[in-house]
Amino acid sequence: MRLMSLSEKQKLIKEIARYMIVYNTSIRETAIEYNIPKTTLHRWIYKELRFIDDDLFVQVKNKLKSRRK
């Protein structure tokens, strides 16, 4: 993965979060789609997204929680 600016990274994280909501995908499925390591994607969602867009974070978290049931 290439180096990116902070704003590019934030845009990518938001894009990935929206993808997960629209297509109801797991961390693993999304990581494969975007060719990103699962651990990186997990960190982005649970540690960084909440500071970028808290509403989007809550939506993704709820989607992932509903997939477990």
Side-chain angles (χ1 to χ4, degrees), residues 16-49:
I16 288 170
R18 287 188 200 102
Y19 177 88
M20 292 177 76
I21 292 166
V22 169
Y23 295 103
N24 195 29
T25 58
S26 67
I27 296 271
R28 179 178 300 232
E29 293 165 335
T30 307
I32 290 169
E33 181 67 28
Y34 279 85
N35 197 26
I36 297 171
K38 281 187 328 190
T39 53
T40 300
L41 184 55
H42 192 275
R43 187 180 70 242
W44 284 359
I45 296 300
Y46 283 98
K47 299 212 186 268
E48 297 187 36
L49 181 60

Side-chain angles (χ1 to χ4, degrees), residues 3-14:
L3 291 177
M4 60 180 88
S5 71
L6 183 59
S7 64
E8 286 178 322
K9 181 179 174 186
Q10 290 175 343
K11 286 178 189 174
L12 178 59
I13 291 171
K14 288 172 77 170

